[in-house]
Amino acid sequence: MAQCVRSTLTPSRTPQSLFTRTVSAKNQAFASVSFLRTLPEFKGYPKQCSVVMSCQGNAQRQQQLSLDDLVTSNRKGEVLGTIQDSLSNCLSDTNLLETVPGLKSRIKGKVRDIYDAGDYLVLITTDRLSAFDRNLASIPFKGQVLNETSLWWFNNTQHITPNAIVSSPDRNVVIAKKCSVFPIEFVVRGYVTGSTDTSLWTVYKKGVRNYCGNALSDGLVKNQKLPANILTPTTKAEDHDVPISPTEIVEGGFMTQAEFEEASMKALSLFEFGQRVAKEHGVILVDTKYEFGKSSDGSILLIDEIHTPDSSRYWLAGSYEERFRKGLEPENVDKEFLRLWFKENCNPYEDEVLPAAPAELVTELAWRYIFLYETITGSRIDILPTQEPIHDRISRNTSQALSSLRQL
């Protein structure tokens, strides 16, 4: 029996009605023009090339990272104090309706707050940590790192797909053109793993052998590499994501066959590219999700975020094979260790009140986000402490950016 359940969302069949519906739920849309800030340049592959190894000629020697790089890194010592000093200065919520002229409404997502600015959307990436369909903690600099990670990948995957970015006037802010958002998350997986209800390992160990249209063979074990990357879409339900098959997506009117095929091809190509880039820098891109929207000219655009440690799972490549042979968990560089802590100390799906995340784990996760960004981009992220409240800085920079855009 197929294990993908049709979403309870009522599908919309026209771009305009889809946009109207998704605005009330989760409306993350970007458009590709030019950045207002200077972003780290992509070091390695020509933008017009989609296959890393063939484009480079001579591939760079892959880094070999270990857990020691995370634990004993000199860079960790440099940023640890700043992280600890910022535990009480996280961006957990925003209210730009009171501080930025011209904003019409706010939608609060799991991590991002989305504001309607007329022709544009303003997306604020907060420091909220979301898992198990709820917020678990606030992580210092998380929003900044996620935002700048996505910007780096957006900037360097335009040879695969256009995105919807207009500008990034602040470390935590993206301004985007509006577009019709497809209510589907394109989840791509390269390994049998995970701890959430919709993760591949969770459903596989329950006996599921046909997941979102993918036939899975018997005998797979946790953390095993799949023979080929697979797509396991989910609907964007209000409270939780629901797995759905390609057939159900088309028959349910969520997307046309042509739209689904194009978005699927983009998702798989983005994931393959991301895996190659990650591997060259000593990490494994295990799985991730993508979201797409349709612009006014009919183009399908990449939106939301890309290859962040929030939307993706990363393992250290150097130790994966040996640990897999020994039946040990991979060394991860994402929020999985904190997810596992909550699963071990409570029922994160059913308990009304969750325990507070330990400060040392919050600090460690902040460092891992920074480590991953700097490892992949080859650039140091600016996380200087400031006495100015983050909300004030964001309000000022966003106001200036929107004023400039309205004068164009």
Side-chain angles (χ1 to χ4, degrees):
M1 182 178 68
Q3 299 297 319
C4 294
V5 181
R6 192 183 307 278
S7 168
T8 56
L9 290 172
T10 301
S12 300
R13 296 181 181 275
T14 64
Q16 183 57 43
S17 61
L18 176 59
F19 174 73
T20 301
R21 182 180 61 75
T22 53
V23 163
S24 64
K26 186 179 181 183
N27 191 356
Q28 286 125 312
F30 307 147
S32 57
V33 186
S34 60
F35 301 129
L36 296 183
R37 294 188 296 121
T38 301
L39 297 176
E41 289 298 323
F42 185 55
K43 302 173 182 177
Y45 321 123
K47 287 187 178 180
Q48 68 271 22
C49 180
S50 60
V51 182
V52 174
M53 296 305 180
S54 63
C55 289
Q56 269 193 295
N58 295 320
Q60 300 173 359
R61 189 169 64 179
Q62 296 172 10
Q63 296 182 35
Q64 292 297 316
L65 299 177
S66 69
L67 194 59
D68 288 341
D69 293 298
L70 274 171
V71 175
T72 64
S73 168
N74 290 334
R75 177 62 171 156
K76 183 176 183 179
E78 294 174 7
V79 303
L80 201 59
T82 302
I83 294 171
Q84 292 169 339
D85 291 342
S86 302
L87 287 171
S88 60
N89 189 28
C90 292
L91 184 67
S92 300
D93 199 6
T94 69
N95 189 5
L96 269 63
L97 294 175
E98 296 183 355
T99 60
V100 177
L103 297 183
K104 300 178 180 180
S105 62
R106 181 187 80 153
I107 300 167
K108 184 174 181 179
K110 294 178 181 178
V111 174
R112 289 169 182 80
D113 291 347
I114 305 109
Y115 292 86
D116 187 343
D119 291 336
Y120 305 98
L121 295 177
V122 176
L123 296 96
I124 315 296
T125 308
T126 71
D127 295 327
R128 297 191 295 263
L129 176 69
S130 174
F132 308 109
D133 300 319
R134 61 198 301 179
N135 291 318
L136 302 181
S138 291
I139 312 298
F141 303 107
K142 173 179 177 286
Q144 175 187 345
V145 175
L146 292 186
N147 200 49
E148 298 199 13
T149 297
S150 281
L151 288 171
W152 188 87
W153 283 105
F154 277 130
N155 198 35
N156 294 294
T157 54
Q158 294 184 71
H159 62 285
I160 298 174
T161 179
N163 60 67
I165 301 294
V166 172
S167 66
S168 177
D170 184 272
R171 304 167 192 172
N172 291 69
V173 181
V174 157
I175 296 178
K177 285 186 177 179
K178 291 179 177 177
C179 68
S180 304
V181 180
F182 297 116
I184 299 294
E185 288 190 347
F186 285 75
V187 182
V188 186
R189 306 179 187 276
Y191 293 76
V192 186
T193 193
S195 58
T196 64
D197 284 353
T198 58
S199 70
L200 189 55
W201 175 244
T202 299
V203 299
Y204 186 84
K205 69 181 179 181
K206 292 179 179 178
V208 174
R209 294 298 180 268
N210 189 321
Y211 192 50
C212 299
N214 299 284
L216 303 171
S217 61
D218 290 329
L220 299 178
V221 298
K222 188 179 183 185
N223 303 324
Q224 181 176 346
K225 182 176 174 59
L226 290 164
N229 296 328
I230 63 172
L231 183 66
T232 60
T234 65
T235 61
K236 297 203 48 69
E238 186 172 348
D239 296 326
H240 61 280
D241 299 333
V242 180
I244 188 170
S245 70
T247 299
E248 290 172 316
I249 290 173
V250 176
E251 291 182 351
F254 295 97
M255 303 177 76
T256 66
Q257 184 68 41
E259 288 168 343
F260 177 76
E261 289 177 358
E262 181 177 347
S264 297
M265 180 183 68
K266 290 176 183 288
L268 290 167
S269 296
L270 287 166
F271 189 66
E272 179 186 3
F273 181 75
Q275 283 186 312
R276 290 173 181 266
V277 174
K279 186 176 181 181
E280 193 164 282
H281 292 83
V283 292
I284 297 172
L285 177 59
V286 178
D287 49 43
T288 194
K289 72 173 181 70
Y290 306 101
E291 295 184 44
F292 296 95
K294 199 168 188 177
S295 66
S296 57
D297 66 2
S299 301
I300 293 181
L301 307 177
L302 178 64
I303 64 171
D304 191 47
E305 62 183 327
I306 173 173
H307 298 165
T308 71
D310 250 24
S311 65
S312 314
R313 200 184 316 270
Y314 284 94
W315 295 336
L316 297 181
S319 60
Y320 165 73
E321 293 289 350
E322 181 179 358
R323 294 181 69 85
F324 177 72
R325 287 194 300 269
K326 293 180 178 179
L328 301 174
E329 286 295 309
E331 296 173 329
N332 63 73
V333 202
D334 51 48
K335 62 182 180 181
E336 181 68 9
F337 77 95
L338 193 53
R339 273 195 294 240
L340 293 174
W341 183 88
F342 275 96
K343 289 203 74 171
E344 292 169 358
N345 288 274
C346 63
N347 185 332
Y349 284 110
E350 297 181 5
D351 290 353
E352 184 175 346
V353 179
L354 301 183
E360 60 270 20
L361 295 188
V362 170
T363 301
E364 176 64 23
L365 184 55
W367 155 242
R368 291 191 182 201
Y369 278 46
I370 293 168
F371 173 86
L372 186 61
Y373 171 87
E374 295 185 344
T375 295
I376 290 178
T377 68
S379 302
R380 286 199 171 193
I381 196 165
D382 180 7
I383 58 164
L384 296 176
T386 177
Q387 297 299 319
E388 181 183 24
I390 301 174
H391 196 279
D392 292 353
R393 186 199 75 212
I394 287 174
S395 298
R396 182 182 68 253
N397 291 337
T398 302
S399 295
Q400 293 173 353
L402 288 175
S403 177
S404 297
L405 286 171
R406 289 168 182 144
Q407 294 173 13
L408 295 178

